[in-house]
Amino acid sequence: ARLWRMLSFVVALPGVAVCMLNCYLKSKEEHERPEFVPYSHLRIRTKPFPWGDGNKTLFHNPHVNALPTGYED
Amino acid sequence: MTHQAHSYHMVDPSPWPIFGAAAALLTTSGLTLWFHHNITFLLALGLLSMILVMIQWWRDIIRESTFQGHHTPTVQKGLRYGMILFITSEAFFFLGFFWAFFHSSLAPTPELGGQWPPTGINPLNPMEVPLLNTAILLASGVTITWAHHSITENNRKHATHALFLTILLGFYFTALQASEYHETSFSIADSVYGSTFFVATGFHGLHVIIGSSFLSVCFLRLINFHFTSNHHFGFEAAAWYWHFVDVIWLFLYMSIYWWGS
């Protein structure tokens, strides 16, 4: 168990910490929202979703997810 | 007084198998009713009965094994076979979704713009949160191994700490994935890219939640002295399942997140 305890605290958890730092630094940059192009292969609505107004996906985020007609905001 | 002349466990009659089947029927037909007629009642009933059956069935198994001693080495061997076969079946389940992914991504159709990722799709950067998630699951594999060794060496304090860390890492993964789901610019409705991405990662996430629940139950049993240093199959089964979830993630990461971007 000594070996795995050592690996946990010296390799595994610091590895996670480094990746956390990497993500935090990368998230600092501003990213622009891509322009809306009404491609027919995207935002498919063959059948309404069984929740809400049937037009929004389960994890809909109005800032980054466009509806078939374009961004809401 | 009679006693059994064999090392197997002849289980007492139990209602849980038939109730479980009924719960499955309620859940599946409830899902259909919800999709087609916007009625949620049957689905709710199905999910509730499913959870109740699971709690009571597994509670009974713990009673039969830990408290009544029916799990001889022979019985445990059977359980090992069972868990291995179950995990194998889950591997085939995921294989199907990987097949679907490669079917669509190796030869992208003109409708997608003849490229992968399809035109208009901005995939997630594999070197950001997905990499962190990989580190988290790999780390949890190390901590769960530490926990297992601690159990076999009778180190209660370390076993508790290690298993707790493992569960914490599992929750962290789930939280990060949920946040990723909210932040991606593409959704499940965005061509076959969205379908393959969210179905594969979605089922994986469900398995992480199941694995985390299994580990949490093990944690409660660990602090209640259910495990001995040489008999703790419930924990081993949870550990196998957890490593399986980790391996599936590695394949997801390499094919969908990395190669697929």
Side-chain angles (χ1 to χ4, degrees), chain A residues 40-50 53-57 68, chain B residues 35-36 187-192 195:
Chain A
S40 57
H41 64 285
L42 301 183
R43 297 165 277 268
I44 295 173
R45 298 287 189 272
T46 317
K47 184 189 156 92
F49 291 107
D53 64 357
N55 202 21
K56 303 194 176 86
T57 63
Chain B
F35 284 157
H36 292 276
S187 75
I188 197 173
D190 286 326
S191 79
V192 72
S195 302

PDB file of all heavy atoms in Angstrom, chain A residues 40-50 53-57 68, chain B residues 35-36 187-192 195:
ATOM      1  N   SER A  40     -27.966  23.040 -42.864  1.00  0.00           N
ATOM      2  CA  SER A  40     -29.105  22.130 -42.701  1.00  0.00           C
ATOM      3  C   SER A  40     -28.734  20.865 -41.925  1.00  0.00           C
ATOM      4  O   SER A  40     -29.617  20.136 -41.472  1.00  0.00           O
ATOM      5  CB  SER A  40     -29.678  21.735 -44.071  1.00  0.00           C
ATOM      6  OG  SER A  40     -28.641  21.154 -44.842  1.00  0.00           O
ATOM      7  N   HIS A  41     -27.433  20.590 -41.776  1.00  0.00           N
ATOM      8  CA  HIS A  41     -27.068  19.364 -41.060  1.00  0.00           C
ATOM      9  C   HIS A  41     -26.893  19.629 -39.564  1.00  0.00           C
ATOM     10  O   HIS A  41     -26.642  18.722 -38.783  1.00  0.00           O
ATOM     11  CB  HIS A  41     -25.782  18.742 -41.635  1.00  0.00           C
ATOM     12  CG  HIS A  41     -24.556  19.604 -41.478  1.00  0.00           C
ATOM     13  ND1 HIS A  41     -24.331  20.718 -42.244  1.00  0.00           N
ATOM     14  CD2 HIS A  41     -23.503  19.500 -40.647  1.00  0.00           C
ATOM     15  CE1 HIS A  41     -23.179  21.271 -41.888  1.00  0.00           C
ATOM     16  NE2 HIS A  41     -22.650  20.552 -40.919  1.00  0.00           N
ATOM     17  N   LEU A  42     -27.019  20.889 -39.177  1.00  0.00           N
ATOM     18  CA  LEU A  42     -26.899  21.229 -37.759  1.00  0.00           C
ATOM     19  C   LEU A  42     -28.254  21.651 -37.208  1.00  0.00           C
ATOM     20  O   LEU A  42     -29.169  21.976 -37.965  1.00  0.00           O
ATOM     21  CB  LEU A  42     -25.889  22.365 -37.569  1.00  0.00           C
ATOM     22  CG  LEU A  42     -24.477  22.130 -38.041  1.00  0.00           C
ATOM     23  CD1 LEU A  42     -23.599  23.340 -37.703  1.00  0.00           C
ATOM     24  CD2 LEU A  42     -23.888  20.885 -37.371  1.00  0.00           C
ATOM     25  N   ARG A  43     -28.372  21.647 -35.915  1.00  0.00           N
ATOM     26  CA  ARG A  43     -29.604  22.067 -35.222  1.00  0.00           C
ATOM     27  C   ARG A  43     -30.829  21.353 -35.802  1.00  0.00           C
ATOM     28  O   ARG A  43     -31.833  21.960 -36.129  1.00  0.00           O
ATOM     29  CB  ARG A  43     -29.759  23.589 -35.310  1.00  0.00           C
ATOM     30  CG  ARG A  43     -28.616  24.311 -34.595  1.00  0.00           C
ATOM     31  CD  ARG A  43     -28.549  25.775 -34.957  1.00  0.00           C
ATOM     32  NE  ARG A  43     -27.829  25.983 -36.198  1.00  0.00           N
ATOM     33  CZ  ARG A  43     -26.528  26.222 -36.287  1.00  0.00           C
ATOM     34  NH1 ARG A  43     -25.795  26.257 -35.197  1.00  0.00           N
ATOM     35  NH2 ARG A  43     -25.969  26.411 -37.460  1.00  0.00           N
ATOM     36  N   ILE A  44     -30.675  20.033 -35.902  1.00  0.00           N
ATOM     37  CA  ILE A  44     -31.729  19.218 -36.504  1.00  0.00           C
ATOM     38  C   ILE A  44     -32.926  19.132 -35.562  1.00  0.00           C
ATOM     39  O   ILE A  44     -32.771  18.947 -34.363  1.00  0.00           O
ATOM     40  CB  ILE A  44     -31.188  17.801 -36.826  1.00  0.00           C
ATOM     41  CG1 ILE A  44     -30.103  17.921 -37.897  1.00  0.00           C
ATOM     42  CG2 ILE A  44     -32.304  16.871 -37.285  1.00  0.00           C
ATOM     43  CD1 ILE A  44     -29.390  16.628 -38.179  1.00  0.00           C
ATOM     44  N   ARG A  45     -34.137  19.307 -36.132  1.00  0.00           N
ATOM     45  CA  ARG A  45     -35.355  19.218 -35.323  1.00  0.00           C
ATOM     46  C   ARG A  45     -36.358  18.321 -36.038  1.00  0.00           C
ATOM     47  O   ARG A  45     -37.397  18.788 -36.499  1.00  0.00           O
ATOM     48  CB  ARG A  45     -35.977  20.603 -35.094  1.00  0.00           C
ATOM     49  CG  ARG A  45     -35.093  21.583 -34.331  1.00  0.00           C
ATOM     50  CD  ARG A  45     -35.013  21.224 -32.873  1.00  0.00           C
ATOM     51  NE  ARG A  45     -34.350  22.241 -32.084  1.00  0.00           N
ATOM     52  CZ  ARG A  45     -33.040  22.312 -31.863  1.00  0.00           C
ATOM     53  NH1 ARG A  45     -32.224  21.433 -32.441  1.00  0.00           N
ATOM     54  NH2 ARG A  45     -32.533  23.275 -31.115  1.00  0.00           N
ATOM     55  N   THR A  46     -36.059  17.029 -36.127  1.00  0.00           N
ATOM     56  CA  THR A  46     -36.990  16.105 -36.780  1.00  0.00           C
ATOM     57  C   THR A  46     -38.273  15.984 -35.960  1.00  0.00           C
ATOM     58  O   THR A  46     -39.352  15.780 -36.494  1.00  0.00           O
ATOM     59  CB  THR A  46     -36.363  14.702 -36.890  1.00  0.00           C
ATOM     60  OG1 THR A  46     -35.018  14.840 -37.293  1.00  0.00           O
ATOM     61  CG2 THR A  46     -37.125  13.856 -37.863  1.00  0.00           C
ATOM     62  N   LYS A  47     -38.127  16.072 -34.641  1.00  0.00           N
ATOM     63  CA  LYS A  47     -39.240  15.879 -33.725  1.00  0.00           C
ATOM     64  C   LYS A  47     -38.975  16.772 -32.525  1.00  0.00           C
ATOM     65  O   LYS A  47     -37.845  16.875 -32.090  1.00  0.00           O
ATOM     66  CB  LYS A  47     -39.210  14.409 -33.307  1.00  0.00           C
ATOM     67  CG  LYS A  47     -40.338  13.968 -32.433  1.00  0.00           C
ATOM     68  CD  LYS A  47     -40.022  12.554 -31.924  1.00  0.00           C
ATOM     69  CE  LYS A  47     -40.763  12.293 -30.652  1.00  0.00           C
ATOM     70  NZ  LYS A  47     -42.009  11.696 -30.722  1.00  0.00           N
ATOM     71  N   PRO A  48     -40.014  17.432 -31.991  1.00  0.00           N
ATOM     72  CA  PRO A  48     -39.755  18.319 -30.844  1.00  0.00           C
ATOM     73  C   PRO A  48     -39.241  17.533 -29.626  1.00  0.00           C
ATOM     74  O   PRO A  48     -39.617  16.383 -29.423  1.00  0.00           O
ATOM     75  CB  PRO A  48     -41.116  18.954 -30.538  1.00  0.00           C
ATOM     76  CG  PRO A  48     -42.098  18.341 -31.452  1.00  0.00           C
ATOM     77  CD  PRO A  48     -41.411  17.457 -32.415  1.00  0.00           C
ATOM     78  N   PHE A  49     -38.389  18.158 -28.835  1.00  0.00           N
ATOM     79  CA  PHE A  49     -37.910  17.547 -27.602  1.00  0.00           C
ATOM     80  C   PHE A  49     -39.073  17.447 -26.618  1.00  0.00           C
ATOM     81  O   PHE A  49     -39.945  18.316 -26.600  1.00  0.00           O
ATOM     82  CB  PHE A  49     -36.794  18.394 -26.977  1.00  0.00           C
ATOM     83  CG  PHE A  49     -35.525  18.400 -27.770  1.00  0.00           C
ATOM     84  CD1 PHE A  49     -35.147  19.531 -28.482  1.00  0.00           C
ATOM     85  CD2 PHE A  49     -34.698  17.274 -27.806  1.00  0.00           C
ATOM     86  CE1 PHE A  49     -33.963  19.546 -29.219  1.00  0.00           C
ATOM     87  CE2 PHE A  49     -33.527  17.284 -28.543  1.00  0.00           C
ATOM     88  CZ  PHE A  49     -33.165  18.422 -29.256  1.00  0.00           C
ATOM     89  N   PRO A  50     -39.114  16.374 -25.793  1.00  0.00           N
ATOM     90  CA  PRO A  50     -40.260  16.200 -24.893  1.00  0.00           C
ATOM     91  C   PRO A  50     -40.253  17.105 -23.667  1.00  0.00           C
ATOM     92  O   PRO A  50     -40.860  16.789 -22.666  1.00  0.00           O
ATOM     93  CB  PRO A  50     -40.163  14.720 -24.484  1.00  0.00           C
ATOM     94  CG  PRO A  50     -38.763  14.329 -24.700  1.00  0.00           C
ATOM     95  CD  PRO A  50     -38.202  15.209 -25.755  1.00  0.00           C
ATOM     96  N   ASP A  53     -40.390  24.028 -24.627  1.00  0.00           N
ATOM     97  CA  ASP A  53     -41.101  24.324 -25.859  1.00  0.00           C
ATOM     98  C   ASP A  53     -40.715  23.348 -26.980  1.00  0.00           C
ATOM     99  O   ASP A  53     -41.117  23.519 -28.124  1.00  0.00           O
ATOM    100  CB  ASP A  53     -40.845  25.771 -26.295  1.00  0.00           C
ATOM    101  CG  ASP A  53     -39.371  26.015 -26.637  1.00  0.00           C
ATOM    102  OD1 ASP A  53     -38.554  25.073 -26.479  1.00  0.00           O
ATOM    103  OD2 ASP A  53     -39.037  27.127 -27.065  1.00  0.00           O
ATOM    104  N   GLY A  54     -39.907  22.338 -26.622  1.00  0.00           N
ATOM    105  CA  GLY A  54     -39.540  21.329 -27.610  1.00  0.00           C
ATOM    106  C   GLY A  54     -38.453  21.760 -28.568  1.00  0.00           C
ATOM    107  O   GLY A  54     -38.063  21.002 -29.454  1.00  0.00           O
ATOM    108  N   ASN A  55     -37.945  22.990 -28.383  1.00  0.00           N
ATOM    109  CA  ASN A  55     -36.976  23.490 -29.356  1.00  0.00           C
ATOM    110  C   ASN A  55     -35.557  23.583 -28.800  1.00  0.00           C
ATOM    111  O   ASN A  55     -34.618  23.815 -29.549  1.00  0.00           O
ATOM    112  CB  ASN A  55     -37.419  24.869 -29.860  1.00  0.00           C
ATOM    113  CG  ASN A  55     -36.796  25.207 -31.194  1.00  0.00           C
ATOM    114  OD1 ASN A  55     -36.352  24.313 -31.922  1.00  0.00           O
ATOM    115  ND2 ASN A  55     -36.763  26.483 -31.535  1.00  0.00           N
ATOM    116  N   LYS A  56     -35.400  23.403 -27.474  1.00  0.00           N
ATOM    117  CA  LYS A  56     -34.079  23.553 -26.873  1.00  0.00           C
ATOM    118  C   LYS A  56     -33.554  22.207 -26.393  1.00  0.00           C
ATOM    119  O   LYS A  56     -34.286  21.430 -25.805  1.00  0.00           O
ATOM    120  CB  LYS A  56     -34.148  24.525 -25.683  1.00  0.00           C
ATOM    121  CG  LYS A  56     -34.697  25.876 -26.059  1.00  0.00           C
ATOM    122  CD  LYS A  56     -34.421  26.895 -24.954  1.00  0.00           C
ATOM    123  CE  LYS A  56     -34.887  28.265 -25.372  1.00  0.00           C
ATOM    124  NZ  LYS A  56     -36.307  28.506 -25.090  1.00  0.00           N
ATOM    125  N   THR A  57     -32.245  21.965 -26.641  1.00  0.00           N
ATOM    126  CA  THR A  57     -31.651  20.720 -26.168  1.00  0.00           C
ATOM    127  C   THR A  57     -31.558  20.745 -24.641  1.00  0.00           C
ATOM    128  O   THR A  57     -31.751  21.776 -24.021  1.00  0.00           O
ATOM    129  CB  THR A  57     -30.257  20.516 -26.767  1.00  0.00           C
ATOM    130  OG1 THR A  57     -29.412  21.571 -26.311  1.00  0.00           O
ATOM    131  CG2 THR A  57     -30.301  20.524 -28.281  1.00  0.00           C
ATOM    132  N   PRO A  68     -32.421  26.826 -34.349  1.00  0.00           N
ATOM    133  CA  PRO A  68     -32.424  26.726 -35.820  1.00  0.00           C
ATOM    134  C   PRO A  68     -32.562  28.076 -36.520  1.00  0.00           C
ATOM    135  O   PRO A  68     -32.155  28.229 -37.663  1.00  0.00           O
ATOM    136  CB  PRO A  68     -33.625  25.826 -36.113  1.00  0.00           C
ATOM    137  CG  PRO A  68     -33.772  24.999 -34.881  1.00  0.00           C
ATOM    138  CD  PRO A  68     -33.352  25.868 -33.742  1.00  0.00           C
TER     139      PRO A  68
ATOM    140  N   PHE B  35     -42.185  10.268 -24.339  1.00  0.00           N
ATOM    141  CA  PHE B  35     -41.727  10.765 -25.644  1.00  0.00           C
ATOM    142  C   PHE B  35     -42.890  11.105 -26.569  1.00  0.00           C
ATOM    143  O   PHE B  35     -42.861  12.077 -27.294  1.00  0.00           O
ATOM    144  CB  PHE B  35     -40.851   9.713 -26.349  1.00  0.00           C
ATOM    145  CG  PHE B  35     -39.467   9.595 -25.792  1.00  0.00           C
ATOM    146  CD1 PHE B  35     -38.746   8.434 -25.981  1.00  0.00           C
ATOM    147  CD2 PHE B  35     -38.879  10.618 -25.076  1.00  0.00           C
ATOM    148  CE1 PHE B  35     -37.455   8.300 -25.474  1.00  0.00           C
ATOM    149  CE2 PHE B  35     -37.599  10.502 -24.573  1.00  0.00           C
ATOM    150  CZ  PHE B  35     -36.880   9.333 -24.773  1.00  0.00           C
ATOM    151  N   HIS B  36     -43.912  10.228 -26.549  1.00  0.00           N
ATOM    152  CA  HIS B  36     -44.964  10.386 -27.545  1.00  0.00           C
ATOM    153  C   HIS B  36     -46.193  11.127 -27.044  1.00  0.00           C
ATOM    154  O   HIS B  36     -46.911  11.707 -27.847  1.00  0.00           O
ATOM    155  CB  HIS B  36     -45.379   9.009 -28.087  1.00  0.00           C
ATOM    156  CG  HIS B  36     -44.311   8.351 -28.899  1.00  0.00           C
ATOM    157  ND1 HIS B  36     -44.129   8.615 -30.225  1.00  0.00           N
ATOM    158  CD2 HIS B  36     -43.346   7.466 -28.551  1.00  0.00           C
ATOM    159  CE1 HIS B  36     -43.102   7.897 -30.680  1.00  0.00           C
ATOM    160  NE2 HIS B  36     -42.598   7.201 -29.686  1.00  0.00           N
ATOM    161  N   SER B 187     -24.578  20.788 -29.925  1.00  0.00           N
ATOM    162  CA  SER B 187     -25.512  20.025 -29.097  1.00  0.00           C
ATOM    163  C   SER B 187     -25.727  18.650 -29.723  1.00  0.00           C
ATOM    164  O   SER B 187     -25.165  18.339 -30.763  1.00  0.00           O
ATOM    165  CB  SER B 187     -26.843  20.754 -28.995  1.00  0.00           C
ATOM    166  OG  SER B 187     -27.542  20.614 -30.220  1.00  0.00           O
ATOM    167  N   ILE B 188     -26.579  17.851 -29.082  1.00  0.00           N
ATOM    168  CA  ILE B 188     -26.851  16.511 -29.595  1.00  0.00           C
ATOM    169  C   ILE B 188     -27.540  16.580 -30.952  1.00  0.00           C
ATOM    170  O   ILE B 188     -27.481  15.647 -31.748  1.00  0.00           O
ATOM    171  CB  ILE B 188     -27.694  15.710 -28.578  1.00  0.00           C
ATOM    172  CG1 ILE B 188     -27.645  14.213 -28.875  1.00  0.00           C
ATOM    173  CG2 ILE B 188     -29.145  16.216 -28.558  1.00  0.00           C
ATOM    174  CD1 ILE B 188     -28.319  13.353 -27.813  1.00  0.00           C
ATOM    175  N   ALA B 189     -28.197  17.714 -31.241  1.00  0.00           N
ATOM    176  CA  ALA B 189     -28.927  17.842 -32.494  1.00  0.00           C
ATOM    177  C   ALA B 189     -28.058  18.345 -33.634  1.00  0.00           C
ATOM    178  O   ALA B 189     -28.563  18.635 -34.719  1.00  0.00           O
ATOM    179  CB  ALA B 189     -30.112  18.785 -32.293  1.00  0.00           C
ATOM    180  N   ASP B 190     -26.778  18.492 -33.397  1.00  0.00           N
ATOM    181  CA  ASP B 190     -25.885  19.013 -34.427  1.00  0.00           C
ATOM    182  C   ASP B 190     -25.235  17.880 -35.192  1.00  0.00           C
ATOM    183  O   ASP B 190     -24.109  17.482 -34.913  1.00  0.00           O
ATOM    184  CB  ASP B 190     -24.833  19.932 -33.812  1.00  0.00           C
ATOM    185  CG  ASP B 190     -25.415  21.271 -33.411  1.00  0.00           C
ATOM    186  OD1 ASP B 190     -26.329  21.735 -34.125  1.00  0.00           O
ATOM    187  OD2 ASP B 190     -24.979  21.836 -32.403  1.00  0.00           O
ATOM    188  N   SER B 191     -25.936  17.400 -36.199  1.00  0.00           N
ATOM    189  CA  SER B 191     -25.480  16.336 -37.094  1.00  0.00           C
ATOM    190  C   SER B 191     -25.060  15.086 -36.332  1.00  0.00           C
ATOM    191  O   SER B 191     -25.193  15.007 -35.111  1.00  0.00           O
ATOM    192  CB  SER B 191     -24.313  16.807 -37.972  1.00  0.00           C
ATOM    193  OG  SER B 191     -23.085  16.788 -37.258  1.00  0.00           O
ATOM    194  N   VAL B 192     -24.550  14.121 -37.058  1.00  0.00           N
ATOM    195  CA  VAL B 192     -24.147  12.860 -36.453  1.00  0.00           C
ATOM    196  C   VAL B 192     -22.974  13.074 -35.493  1.00  0.00           C
ATOM    197  O   VAL B 192     -22.739  12.248 -34.602  1.00  0.00           O
ATOM    198  CB  VAL B 192     -23.827  11.828 -37.562  1.00  0.00           C
ATOM    199  CG1 VAL B 192     -22.523  12.182 -38.270  1.00  0.00           C
ATOM    200  CG2 VAL B 192     -23.780  10.429 -37.018  1.00  0.00           C
ATOM    201  N   SER B 195     -24.686  13.609 -32.217  1.00  0.00           N
ATOM    202  CA  SER B 195     -25.308  12.353 -31.784  1.00  0.00           C
ATOM    203  C   SER B 195     -24.265  11.410 -31.200  1.00  0.00           C
ATOM    204  O   SER B 195     -24.418  10.916 -30.087  1.00  0.00           O
ATOM    205  CB  SER B 195     -25.991  11.646 -32.958  1.00  0.00           C
ATOM    206  OG  SER B 195     -26.952  12.475 -33.542  1.00  0.00           O
TER     207      SER B 195
END
